[in-house]
Amino acid sequence: MTDIIANRVCAELEGDFVVFLIGMRINKPWKFWRWWPVANAMPKMLIELGHKPELGLLHARTHAGFPDILVVQYWRSFDDLEAYARNRDAAHLPAWQAFNKAVGSNGDVGIWHETYVVKAGAYENVYNNMPRFGLGMAGEIKDAIGARKDARLRMAAH
């Protein structure tokens, strides 16, 4: 089990960063031959990115439920994210091309993503009695005291 941090902490990341949400929705569960390759592609990408931190992924966490799967990712920059997406030698581009060929817009499987560029200091967070989580996995943990005591102070502290 992950160690619980038994006090209030917050996470800080130096500079700008990117929060990337990506997911899929199983629209036709009986067509497993359509959605299984899509669901199976993301773990391969995350393993690849985990082995190559120079590509810019800081942290990722998968949240699975039916019919949706969501992966929350923290990236060093939009340029890193885009470079990975377009890299012909990485796992993403062939998976994307296979999806477009096998599924495209036929309605069997939905896919989506949202990209947020977070400017330095334009965020706040707090964790209490939690293991490292979310931005806390991508950034540095600090005690939520003094200028980090409450949300407004944390926003002003950056």
Side-chain angles (χ1 to χ4, degrees):
M1 184 170 143
T2 306
D3 292 335
I4 302 295
I5 302 169
N7 60 313
R8 286 172 44 93
V9 296
C10 57
E12 294 181 1
L13 205 60
E14 188 175 317
D16 299 349
F17 62 94
V18 169
V19 178
F20 183 66
L21 308 177
I22 186 165
M24 67 168 277
R25 183 175 196 283
I26 300 169
N27 294 327
K28 297 179 181 172
W30 61 92
K31 291 189 172 185
F32 64 89
W33 63 91
R34 295 279 193 219
W35 60 260
W36 178 250
V38 180
N40 198 33
M42 184 57 71
K44 292 175 183 174
M45 290 179 233
L46 294 175
I47 290 168
E48 174 180 65
L49 288 161
H51 289 306
K52 297 179 179 178
E54 68 275 9
L55 295 177
L57 180 69
L58 300 173
H59 176 67
R61 182 177 176 109
T62 302
H63 302 268
F66 185 78
D68 301 296
I69 299 172
L70 161 70
V71 183
V72 178
Q73 299 178 1
Y74 298 89
W75 286 79
R76 174 70 347 217
S77 71
F78 179 77
D79 290 342
D80 286 341
L81 171 60
E82 184 181 43
Y84 178 72
R86 296 177 182 275
N87 185 342
R88 294 185 186 282
D89 298 322
H92 173 266
L93 192 58
W96 175 242
Q97 291 167 336
F99 172 84
N100 283 319
K101 184 176 179 181
V103 178
S105 296
N106 73 10
D108 293 343
V109 182
I111 57 169
W112 62 274
H113 77 258
E114 299 175 0
T115 308
Y116 302 93
V117 177
V118 181
K119 296 297 180 183
Y123 63 93
E124 76 81 29
N125 57 76
V126 69
Y127 309 91
N128 195 11
N129 297 320
M130 289 284 297
R132 288 178 67 123
F133 186 85
L135 189 62
M137 293 294 289
E140 185 178 345
I141 295 292
K142 306 276 187 166
D143 287 331
I145 58 175
R148 297 182 186 96
K149 183 179 176 186
D150 63 38
R152 183 163 298 280
L153 291 173
R154 285 189 295 276
M155 286 298 287
H158 294 288

